[in-house]
Amino acid sequence: FSPGLLVVAGSFAAFRLLNRGVERLVPPPPSARRNRWKWRNIWTSLAHSALPSTHNLSPCRFYLHPELSNDLVGTHPPGAYSLVAVSVGYFLEDFVDMLCNQKLHQSWELLFHHSVVIVCFGIAVLLHQYVGFALVALLVEINSIFLHLRQILLMANLVHTTCYRLNSLINLGTYVVFRIATLAWMTRWLFLNRQTVPLASYAVGTVGMAIMTPMNIILFYRLLRSDFFK
């Protein structure tokens, strides 16, 4: 038994409650009322993205803890373990939400993505190791803020506004830095440290990177084509 499982369960319940009550905080516009569950889902996802983004940037954890770049297995800054456990709870909640409200052929890519994240982050929570590696992976949530804002603007029928255009530019820029570059750095770290990482963990990490990298490249192409080449 790991105390982190209590954090995971509490996080799942908290995000579930937020999902149920978000319409009271942010009522959907007329253009989004036909898909209310999606409106709730995106705002819940945006709330999660803000958590690791704030943790990683204020202050910059990797500047204050330079040892992270050398040891992502046993080293992690204060609060990182709880953050990873909270993220597992969120991804479980989002997995259940999509499974209950969206057809499988529409959500299989995200369900697959969440499954990989839950397994990798779950290992970090259960073993109290690789928390630093998971923390680096959570840097992608900085970009997720702008991905979710893009969906909100689309649902609110604000696609032809300056706000949408500006968000599209920031979205692509942060996508390259915090998704593609971050995943490339993580893949490189795994390769350079393959002798010190146990075979099972190395296999899980390698498979995870092999799945995430092409998925993110494909999504980048879709965003580029949709927002700039259409």
Side-chain angles (χ1 to χ4, degrees):
F1 176 77
S2 169
L5 294 180
L6 293 177
V7 180
V8 171
S11 171
F12 178 90
F15 279 109
R16 201 66 185 157
L17 287 173
L18 176 62
N19 184 285
R20 295 299 183 186
V22 74
E23 280 193 62
R24 298 180 182 178
L25 300 172
V26 191
S31 56
R33 288 174 187 167
R34 290 183 300 177
N35 203 357
R36 289 178 178 270
W37 88 265
K38 187 66 176 177
W39 182 258
R40 295 193 305 269
N41 179 274
I42 296 171
W43 278 100
T44 304
S45 299
L46 181 61
H48 167 259
S49 296
L51 288 176
S53 299
T54 303
H55 184 275
N56 282 337
L57 289 180
S58 181
C60 182
R61 298 291 173 173
F62 298 93
Y63 175 78
L64 293 176
H65 301 274
E67 67 276 9
L68 270 176
S69 60
N70 297 319
D71 181 16
L72 296 179
V73 178
T75 300
H76 57 269
Y81 177 81
S82 297
L83 178 65
V84 173
V86 166
S87 293
V88 174
Y90 157 74
F91 283 112
L92 283 169
E93 190 279 331
D94 200 46
F95 187 96
V96 172
D97 192 41
M98 286 189 292
L99 204 59
C100 294
N101 294 287
Q102 199 171 29
K103 294 179 179 178
L104 187 60
H105 74 273
Q106 295 175 317
S107 61
W108 72 268
E109 289 182 9
L110 274 176
L111 291 174
F112 188 52
H113 168 274
H114 284 16
S115 299
V116 174
V117 174
I118 290 167
V119 170
C120 294
F121 283 20
I123 290 173
V125 171
L126 290 173
L127 300 182
H128 286 257
Q129 291 185 317
Y130 311 103
V131 176
F133 195 78
L135 188 65
V136 175
L138 283 173
L139 283 171
V140 303
E141 294 301 320
I142 296 172
N143 168 252
S144 293
I145 291 176
F146 303 101
L147 271 177
H148 299 320
L149 282 175
R150 177 182 180 274
Q151 288 183 292
I152 289 169
L153 292 169
L154 281 171
M155 292 192 71
N157 201 23
L158 297 173
V159 68
H160 298 297
T161 62
T162 302
C163 184
Y164 182 88
R165 190 67 175 174
L166 179 61
N167 184 75
S168 295
L169 291 170
I170 299 173
N171 182 32
L172 284 184
T174 55
Y175 199 105
V176 172
V177 175
F178 294 109
R179 281 187 183 269
I180 295 177
T182 296
L183 288 173
W185 187 90
M186 293 171 67
T187 303
R188 175 180 176 275
W189 187 91
L190 267 178
F191 177 77
L192 293 177
N193 292 273
R194 61 189 183 279
Q195 301 298 332
T196 60
V197 177
L199 181 59
S201 300
Y202 180 78
V204 171
T206 303
V207 170
M209 292 299 101
I211 293 171
M212 292 298 187
T213 300
M215 287 182 70
N216 278 280
I217 292 174
I218 291 170
L219 179 56
F220 180 78
Y221 168 73
R222 290 175 180 172
L223 289 170
L224 198 63
R225 184 182 62 182
S226 176
D227 288 353
F228 294 95
F229 293 154
K230 217 168 189 180

